[in-house]
Amino acid sequence: MRRVALAPFNDPQADFVIQTQRTNTMFRVSLAILAQASSFFRQVESQRKQNPGLRDYEHLDVAESDATIETILRFIYPVADPVVQDLDDVCDAYQASVQYKFDYVAKRLREFMLSPRFMDNEPVRVYAIARRFGLAEETNIAARHVLRFPPNWPAYEEFDHISGRAYHELLTLHKNRGRKLVEFLHSFHLKEKITCMKCCPREATAALPRRQPEWWQIYVQQATPLLLDSPANEDIFSLEFILKVAIEAGITCSMCCTSIMQAAQPGGAIAILKEGLASKPFDLVVSNT
């Protein structure tokens, strides 16, 4: 039994039909609009002009779902853009847009992949999708977002479509980035910002640099496993984390308390540390060249 899609893809005067094989749903559409958006359909339009009346150029059966076809059509028709809620839908629509050469639709769907809706919660899936389709820029952007999470990723279905090497490269990037940032953290010294003159009164010399106050040593100790676990971890820069360190350090020295508050202020040691960590070069997973 055939079904007809909802408006505006149900025009009885339309000159072309896209029919989904799964549900036998007919999308009655304008071949001229399709041809403007797709070189695939421009070829169909050209063939029809050369073979008027031949049904092969008036109808197309497709394996894609109703939702995928409607998503693509809504991008190219003068109607509201589709609401894409799930990465599976983005992936299916992107694959179809590439197959049928809807370049504009493919571009919009790549933008959808990088939207906060997906990047804030599912960057690993976005990474796998981007690797699957050879999208270098999207791969590296997603990889950066993956660094906010520990590498205990679920066995996403998207992994079935990428190589073991692609998976290993993400894991290696995560591990190497964590090590690089921890090395920077341990070498970070900003004595005028974090040294307490009461607890660490010794004057600094080349041979005997001033010892860092105890709260800073505890800060480094507690921040280290967090950076190794999640190299883009933002928690270590929060006032909550800094105060937790102060409490665990059992700070009683008023000057140390002052140095902690100074370090936590805008432009203080923590902000400079954050800047320094962010400035470390990012190792690309894949290159555009």
Side-chain angles (χ1 to χ4, degrees), residues 1-4 19-26 66:
M1 181 178 177
R2 293 185 178 181
R3 302 166 53 194
V4 178
Q19 184 166 332
T20 58
Q21 295 174 354
R22 300 183 194 181
T23 59
N24 283 327
T25 300
M26 295 188 297
D66 294 3

Side-chain angles (χ1 to χ4, degrees), residues 152-170:
N152 54 343
W153 311 310
Y156 292 121
E157 288 184 11
E158 285 78 9
F159 288 149
D160 294 339
H161 300 286
I162 65 173
S163 67
R165 177 175 180 176
Y167 181 91
H168 183 263
E169 285 173 345
L170 182 62

Side-chain angles (χ1 to χ4, degrees), residues 8-261:
F9 312 119
N10 59 354
D11 183 0
Q13 304 302 316
D15 64 348
F16 196 82
V17 171
I18 297 176
Q19 184 166 332
T20 58
Q21 295 174 354
R22 300 183 194 181
T23 59
N24 283 327
T25 300
M26 295 188 297
F27 290 81
R28 300 184 181 277
V29 291
S30 164
L31 183 57
I33 292 178
L34 299 182
Q36 285 293 318
S38 158
S39 58
F40 174 90
F41 283 99
R42 277 198 294 279
Q43 183 67 22
V44 173
E45 185 181 50
S46 174
Q47 291 294 328
R48 185 161 76 176
K49 288 177 180 177
Q50 297 174 29
N51 303 274
L54 189 62
R55 188 179 180 278
D56 288 352
Y57 304 112
E58 296 177 355
H59 183 278
L60 180 67
D61 287 328
V62 297
E64 287 74 24
S65 68
D66 294 3
T68 295
I69 297 302
E70 182 170 345
T71 294
I72 291 174
L73 293 175
R74 282 194 169 277
F75 274 122
I76 63 174
Y77 261 68
V79 296
D81 282 351
V83 178
V84 186
Q85 298 287 0
D86 190 271
L87 264 177
D88 289 335
D89 297 332
V90 176
C91 183
D92 291 344
Y94 182 80
Q95 186 173 17
S97 68
V98 171
Q99 178 180 346
Y100 297 111
K101 303 188 186 326
F102 288 104
D103 296 341
Y104 170 75
V105 177
K107 176 179 179 294
R108 291 296 308 277
L109 288 166
R110 289 197 299 272
E111 293 170 356
F112 267 60
M113 289 182 200
L114 300 181
S115 66
R117 180 189 312 169
F118 301 126
M119 296 301 283
D120 288 350
N121 302 300
E122 301 179 290
V124 178
R125 292 184 66 199
V126 175
Y127 169 87
I129 292 170
R131 285 305 297 263
R132 174 184 178 183
F133 293 115
L135 305 175
E137 181 179 358
E138 288 75 11
T139 292
N140 289 310
I141 292 173
R144 286 178 181 271
H145 283 262
V146 170
L147 298 176
R148 295 185 292 110
F149 299 92
N152 54 343
W153 311 310
Y156 292 121
E157 288 184 11
E158 285 78 9
F159 288 149
D160 294 339
H161 300 286
I162 65 173
S163 67
R165 177 175 180 176
Y167 181 91
H168 183 263
E169 285 173 345
L170 182 62
L171 200 60
T172 301
L173 170 74
H174 197 287
K175 183 184 297 184
N176 290 345
R177 182 70 176 176
R179 287 175 177 170
K180 183 184 296 184
L181 297 189
V182 165
E183 286 174 8
F184 181 83
L185 172 66
H186 282 256
S187 67
F188 181 78
H189 292 286
L190 198 62
K191 302 177 181 61
E192 67 275 20
K193 294 287 186 182
I194 62 176
T195 295
C196 171
M197 294 302 294
K198 182 176 180 181
C199 295
C200 310
R202 184 183 65 215
E203 288 299 322
T205 65
L208 293 171
R210 192 188 305 280
R211 184 173 65 86
Q212 304 297 296
E214 187 177 2
W215 73 266
W216 176 252
Q217 296 174 49
I218 294 176
Y219 177 91
V220 170
Q221 181 184 7
Q222 295 198 4
T224 293
L226 293 180
L227 279 178
L228 288 173
D229 199 42
S230 309
N233 192 301
E234 292 280 327
D235 293 342
I236 65 172
F237 310 117
S238 68
L239 183 59
E240 181 182 3
F241 181 81
I242 297 167
L243 291 177
K244 176 175 173 287
V245 167
I247 291 170
E248 293 195 14
I251 300 299
T252 57
C253 168
S254 60
M255 291 189 69
C256 273
C257 290
T258 300
S259 75
I260 291 173
M261 297 310 296

